[in-house]
Amino acid sequence: MSNTKLIAIKKENKHIKKHTVKSNLPFYLVMGIVASTYIILILAMVLADVFYTTPKHIFKALASTEIQYAIKLSLISSTITMLLSVVVAIPIGYFMARFNFRFKKIIDAIIDIPIILPPLVVGLSLLLLFQTVLGQFIESHLRVTYTVYGVVLAQFMVACAFAVRTMYVTFSQINNRQEQVALTLGCNEKQSFFYILLPQAKSGILTAASLAWARALGEFGPILIFAGATRMRTEVLPTTVFLEMSVGNIEAAVAVSLIMIASGFLVLLVVRLYGTKKNTI
Amino acid sequence: MLQCIDLHIEQGNFIVSNINFKIDKGEYVVLMGKTGSGKTTILEAICGLRKVKSGQIILNTIDVTHMTPGQREIGYVPQDGALFVTMTVAENIGFALKIRKWSKTKIKDRVQELALLLGIDHLLKRSVANLSGGEKQRVALGRALSFYPEVLCLDEPLSALDDATKADIITLLQKLKNSLDIAILHISHSKEEAKELSSSILYL
């Protein structure tokens, strides 16, 4: 019965034109052109820097005591900022991803304020904060404004927001089933957090750390306003670029830019290579 | 012994209420019901993963209704297994014992004992990532049994398995039923499973 029906359907459909699948080439071509434009633009920018400068300029820049200080301060402050950001981002991301509470949406928006604020405004706001009674109290014990502490704080205020976003997404994407099982096996919340959730978030933590570090390395606006641009004191690499440009020494500015690009790229690459091992079934 | 008295669970608009049953030591009870009837919800409430609005959960004369999951000491095997992906098979099975601060040798012995019982002793050093469905269920069972629970809760342990593996795991569950003197609550929507395994069947 069903056999005859099937044959009947086939016969009926005989006059229908055979469907042809069109080539994928135009699709890949358009997507590819759009995708490569941006990457080529980035590389072209870097190459423009490379062709502008010579190894001589770079070695000259590296030999300058001021620039050596800036490199050192940049690397140290960015690393401290990275560590602080991850330490702060993990609990915020955890609470946001695992709990529902009042005003969660509002807190969610507050976390993004440092991202949407113009960098200069972050610096200005920090400066104003340290004019208040509380700020003055802190200043009387530990001078923050126009010191290296100010550099770290200015970097941290912006970089941490990126780390928080990353950790929030990381924890949200990890199903809580494993943590629940851990609870039934005798864990308290602390144990299930450290033994079960955190190990799964390893690559997310690495991403958050590298983002925070890279962001801190490139931070300029808030540092200029809040910590100043004093040579051998609060000068970080972006400050160097600014100072060298402002006296017309473009060669040195470009040389320092290339040092920053190379070191930043290297760190991100290493993190990507180590952090891509996925812990999913 | 596990007993539920007038259990009432609410989550949003979803309500499961008037749940009454008792499982004695040595009994294997299959809880049956359609998809969406709240079987998993009841199981999670028993394990302490879901808040109970009213009613009582009694474990060996102790009211555990408001205890944390860990204090209840119920073995729990969730539907997907939910194995700890950052650990090896042996670490999964020994995890509850590590939390209980057993010595390394004692943990190793217990893990070995369970692995032999469950037929996974050749997998102990493997990561859980590439295990088959049946192997995952065996590891999840071992992990849930490691700390000698008196009650074992299984959430559709056979639903994601192919027929041959399903038969293997049914044999294994029968073996556990006969060799371990514990109360087992097994959720299922398959009558055959229930027939082959249960000492009694509950319908939701």
Side-chain angles (χ1 to χ4, degrees):
Chain A
M1 171 72 194
S2 63
N3 242 351
T4 51
K5 217 176 186 178
L6 206 67
I7 290 163
I9 290 170
K10 269 192 181 164
K11 267 188 184 162
E12 253 175 55
N13 287 351
K14 240 183 182 170
H15 63 276
I16 292 175
K17 209 179 124 198
K18 197 173 174 292
H19 170 69
T20 50
V21 179
K22 282 184 187 146
S23 160
N24 289 323
L25 193 67
F27 170 72
Y28 283 135
L29 210 64
V30 172
M31 294 284 274
I33 287 169
V34 175
S36 53
T37 305
Y38 184 57
I39 294 165
I40 289 168
L41 207 56
I42 296 175
L43 288 175
M45 257 167 53
V46 177
L47 282 177
D49 287 347
V50 171
F51 287 127
Y52 190 87
T53 189
T54 58
K56 205 181 94 193
H57 285 128
I58 294 180
F59 286 124
K60 199 179 156 199
L62 283 171
S64 137
T65 344
E66 283 88 5
I67 292 176
Q68 280 175 6
Y69 178 89
I71 292 173
K72 208 171 76 188
L73 181 60
S74 263
L75 293 179
I76 295 173
S77 63
S78 301
T79 307
I80 295 171
T81 297
M82 172 193 81
L83 293 174
L84 286 175
S85 298
V86 170
V87 166
V88 170
I90 287 175
I92 297 178
Y94 173 69
F95 284 122
M96 294 300 287
R98 283 291 182 263
F99 297 94
N100 278 315
F101 44 85
R102 281 180 69 177
F103 309 123
K104 187 170 167 178
K105 290 239 167 76
I106 295 172
I107 291 175
D108 197 10
I110 290 173
I111 293 169
D112 280 343
I113 288 179
I115 296 176
I116 49 173
L117 275 188
L120 288 174
V121 179
V122 174
L124 181 64
S125 309
L126 274 174
L127 211 52
L128 291 176
L129 175 66
F130 276 83
Q131 297 292 315
T132 61
V133 180
L134 177 75
Q136 288 297 318
F137 176 77
I138 295 170
E139 287 271 277
S140 66
H141 290 84
L142 178 76
R143 182 77 195 277
V144 177
T145 48
Y146 305 109
T147 66
V148 287
Y149 301 111
V151 172
V152 172
L153 183 60
Q155 288 176 344
F156 169 77
M157 286 314 291
V158 180
C160 189
F162 289 89
V164 167
R165 261 303 127 207
T166 310
M167 288 320 301
Y168 184 6
V169 173
T170 300
F171 288 141
S172 301
Q173 283 173 346
I174 296 172
N175 193 317
N176 71 350
R177 298 297 290 158
Q178 291 177 45
E179 291 151 71
Q180 290 194 322
V181 173
L183 293 180
T184 70
L185 293 173
C187 283
N188 57 22
E189 295 285 355
K190 183 185 121 193
Q191 288 168 318
S192 96
F193 174 78
F194 282 107
Y195 287 128
I196 308 297
L197 180 61
L198 220 47
Q200 288 182 81
K202 208 177 102 194
S203 66
I205 295 170
L206 275 173
T207 307
S210 62
L211 263 180
W213 189 86
R215 181 73 213 196
L217 186 75
E219 205 56 77
F220 172 61
I223 297 176
L224 181 70
I225 306 281
F226 185 60
T230 321
R231 296 223 110 152
M232 302 300 287
R233 278 194 62 187
T234 58
E235 180 185 351
V236 284
L237 287 173
T239 319
T240 310
V241 177
F242 172 74
L243 289 175
E244 297 294 349
M245 271 175 64
S246 63
V247 295
N249 192 355
I250 307 291
E251 287 81 8
V254 173
V256 171
S257 304
L258 277 172
I259 294 169
M260 277 175 64
I261 292 170
S263 56
F265 180 72
L266 207 69
V267 166
L268 291 184
L269 192 69
V270 167
V271 169
R272 294 275 170 4
L273 290 178
Y274 277 98
T276 42
K277 245 176 83 187
K278 280 243 158 119
N279 282 317
T280 44
I281 288 186
Chain B
M1 182 221 51
L2 169 72
Q3 190 178 11
C4 290
I5 305 168
D6 293 328
L7 219 51
H8 182 92
I9 310 155
E10 278 185 32
Q11 46 179 138
N13 293 325
F14 186 67
I15 296 171
V16 189
S17 66
N18 211 11
I19 303 297
N20 285 286
F21 64 83
K22 190 176 160 190
I23 308 174
D24 281 318
K25 219 173 162 185
E27 254 194 307
Y28 195 119
V29 171
V30 174
L31 173 62
M32 294 197 60
K34 277 186 230 152
T35 309
S37 59
K39 300 181 302 256
T40 297
T41 307
I42 295 170
L43 204 73
E44 287 177 349
I46 291 170
C47 294
L49 299 172
R50 215 170 268 291
K51 278 215 174 90
V52 169
K53 189 106 182 178
S54 66
Q56 278 180 302
I57 300 164
I58 314 276
L59 213 69
N60 293 332
T61 71
I62 300 164
D63 184 348
V64 300
T65 319
H66 301 291
M67 282 187 184
T68 62
Q71 289 172 313
R72 302 180 188 210
E73 306 229 299
I74 295 175
Y76 172 52
V77 178
Q79 192 168 4
D80 47 3
L83 298 179
F84 302 142
V85 290
T86 56
M87 301 180 197
T88 63
V89 169
E91 284 167 343
N92 264 273
I93 299 174
F95 181 75
L97 309 176
K98 187 175 139 194
I99 294 296
R100 282 164 178 74
K101 298 204 160 62
W102 282 31
S103 74
K104 272 190 183 148
T105 40
K106 274 179 80 183
I107 294 178
K108 209 179 154 203
D109 291 346
R110 177 65 178 151
V111 169
Q112 190 62 36
E113 180 190 15
L114 281 162
L116 284 172
L117 176 73
L118 299 162
I120 46 174
D121 48 319
H122 58 294
L123 299 174
L124 285 176
K125 284 185 186 140
R126 287 255 301 266
S127 112
V128 300
N130 300 315
L131 298 181
S132 71
E135 288 166 346
K136 277 181 193 162
Q137 283 299 340
R138 284 166 196 264
V139 177
L141 273 167
R143 185 180 59 181
L145 289 169
S146 64
F147 56 98
Y148 300 101
E150 293 192 34
V151 175
L152 181 64
C153 287
L154 312 172
D155 191 354
E156 307 217 17
L158 305 164
S159 63
L161 304 178
D162 61 75
D163 285 346
T165 316
K166 199 181 276 188
D168 285 348
I169 300 286
I170 286 179
T171 316
L172 176 67
L173 289 173
Q174 280 164 340
K175 185 166 129 193
L176 294 180
K177 175 187 168 185
N178 296 329
S179 59
L180 307 170
D181 194 22
I182 60 174
I184 301 178
L185 176 61
H186 173 144
I187 284 183
S188 171
H189 53 245
S190 150
K191 272 194 184 137
E192 282 131 55
E193 268 175 52
K195 232 184 266 171
E196 285 190 74
L197 288 163
S198 65
S199 45
S200 55
I201 301 177
L202 291 167
Y203 293 96
L204 197 65

